[in-house]
Amino acid sequence: MAFEEAKERLRGSIAPVITPFHEDESIDFEKFQELINWQIASGSHGISCTGTSGEPSSMSIEERINVMEVACKTVNGRVPFIPGTGSTNHQETLRMTKAAQEMGADAAMVIVPYYNKPNQHALYKHFKAVADSVDIPIILYNIPGRTAINLEAVTIARLSEDCPNIIGVKESNKDFEHVNKVLLKCGREFNLYSGIEVLCYPMLAIGGAGHISATANVAPREVAEVYNRWAEGDVKGAQDLHYELMPLNDVLFRDTNPAPVKAALGMMGKIKPILRKPLDVPSSEIQAEIREVLLDYQLITEDVEI
């Protein structure tokens, strides 16, 4: 019953908050807390961290757990908290997912292991072991563009049937036929979240539970409002906002996430736009494009320079 209740609570725009850094690339926890508070004040329905937008592969396991703990304390139960706890290493994934449960996270989001390219049976064994190790809801995270392997709908269905606490999946998958098959095979009560910005609205239309969109880092109120309008039955309003957000979505993925997002937040005065190596800020040309789009959305003023 608890997991069924979680499916209802864990809906809407769950903001995947970036990890801000100081000039020396140490974590700027003060700015991190400010970003979380801004997200909640702006209407985001949930907070995530240490997912793709949080540069987790650039952090040690201890740093990731520390970031998760700070986020959990900052959220303080105001909205659901869903950290990313997956890794390319199975034992590390177990450790971080257990840590999420111990600190009181509402769920854990577990990515398909990247680089290893496990087959579907191996993926099943990995995720089942993670789910069996904890008593909190698990949201699978399928992002084949980063992991080089797709978590197939039949595997997701098998996991959802065998693991009651696997309640949903974040699909950063441009294959819309695939995401339709996920709900077909898992049942429409399974929580489907869009991780592809241009599919946030379409996934709601097929029965999605919400979205975990990097664009929420820059425009949290508008990204949350797409879900709000849909949930209120304002289909045209949600559709209108979907199209209004498309230029912003596009420019924020002109380079590898979260580089454009951090550049944008830097222009907005929210953070210093610093990424840990091997990532770096976008080229000056892309930053100029970001600036023009932010001006169009009135997120910055003309006096802001790159």
Side-chain angles (χ1 to χ4, degrees), residues 190-203:
F190 194 67
N191 280 26
L192 173 69
Y193 304 91
S194 177
I196 296 288
E197 279 59 29
V198 76
L199 295 183
C200 289
Y201 169 78
M203 283 201 198

Side-chain angles (χ1 to χ4, degrees), residues 107-121:
M109 184 172 65
V110 185
I111 195 170
V112 170
Y114 35 93
Y115 184 77
N116 293 321
K117 296 181 70 174
N119 62 36
Q120 295 299 306
H121 181 63

Side-chain angles (χ1 to χ4, degrees), residues 100-132:
Q101 174 172 283
E102 290 168 1
M103 69 182 66
D106 295 275
M109 184 172 65
V110 185
I111 195 170
V112 170
Y114 35 93
Y115 184 77
N116 293 321
K117 296 181 70 174
N119 62 36
Q120 295 299 306
H121 181 63
L123 286 171
Y124 171 84
K125 291 174 65 178
H126 167 71
F127 282 117
K128 187 175 189 304
V130 174
D132 288 349

Side-chain angles (χ1 to χ4, degrees), residues 174-220:
K174 293 182 179 179
D175 184 348
F176 204 57
E177 180 179 355
H178 163 83
V179 296
N180 276 269
K181 287 182 177 178
V182 168
L183 287 185
L184 177 66
K185 294 183 179 298
C186 296
R188 288 160 63 187
E189 70 280 359
F190 194 67
N191 280 26
L192 173 69
Y193 304 91
S194 177
I196 296 288
E197 279 59 29
V198 76
L199 295 183
C200 289
Y201 169 78
M203 283 201 198
L204 292 174
I206 64 169
H211 29 265
I212 306 173
S213 164
T215 301
N217 279 289
V218 175

Side-chain angles (χ1 to χ4, degrees), residues 19-208:
T19 306
F21 298 118
H22 293 289
E23 294 282 358
D24 63 359
E25 297 187 11
S26 61
I27 299 167
D28 188 339
F29 285 106
E30 182 179 349
K31 289 294 183 185
F32 183 55
Q33 291 176 299
E34 289 177 6
L35 289 173
I36 291 172
N37 288 327
W38 177 55
Q39 286 289 334
I40 295 173
S42 298
S44 291
H45 305 102
I47 296 294
S48 184
C49 67
T50 57
T52 302
S53 297
E55 300 174 67
S57 61
S58 298
M59 290 190 278
S60 68
I61 301 305
E62 289 72 21
E63 284 180 316
R64 287 184 65 175
I65 292 175
N66 195 8
V67 168
M68 289 160 53
E69 288 173 340
V70 170
C72 191
K73 290 177 182 177
T74 305
V75 172
N76 194 28
R78 289 177 289 171
V79 295
F81 172 57
I82 308 167
T85 61
S87 164
T88 191
N89 181 292
H90 179 72
Q91 291 301 321
E92 289 177 355
T93 301
L94 289 173
R95 178 183 169 189
M96 287 186 288
T97 307
K98 290 176 182 177
Q101 174 172 283
E102 290 168 1
M103 69 182 66
D106 295 275
M109 184 172 65
V110 185
I111 195 170
V112 170
Y114 35 93
Y115 184 77
N116 293 321
K117 296 181 70 174
N119 62 36
Q120 295 299 306
H121 181 63
L123 286 171
Y124 171 84
K125 291 174 65 178
H126 167 71
F127 282 117
K128 187 175 189 304
V130 174
D132 288 349
S133 72
V134 293
D135 294 320
I136 59 172
I138 298 293
I139 296 171
L140 308 173
Y141 181 11
N142 189 28
I143 180 169
R146 294 269 191 162
T147 62
I149 196 74
N150 185 50
L151 183 62
E152 300 292 345
V154 291
T155 307
I156 298 172
R158 185 182 174 198
L159 284 164
S160 69
E161 182 176 344
D162 294 348
C163 306
N165 59 331
I166 293 182
I167 66 163
V169 61
K170 174 184 177 182
E171 282 286 355
S172 294
N173 191 329
K174 293 182 179 179
D175 184 348
F176 204 57
E177 180 179 355
H178 163 83
V179 296
N180 276 269
K181 287 182 177 178
V182 168
L183 287 185
L184 177 66
K185 294 183 179 298
C186 296
R188 288 160 63 187
E189 70 280 359
F190 194 67
N191 280 26
L192 173 69
Y193 304 91
S194 177
I196 296 288
E197 279 59 29
V198 76
L199 295 183
C200 289
Y201 169 78
M203 283 201 198
L204 292 174
I206 64 169

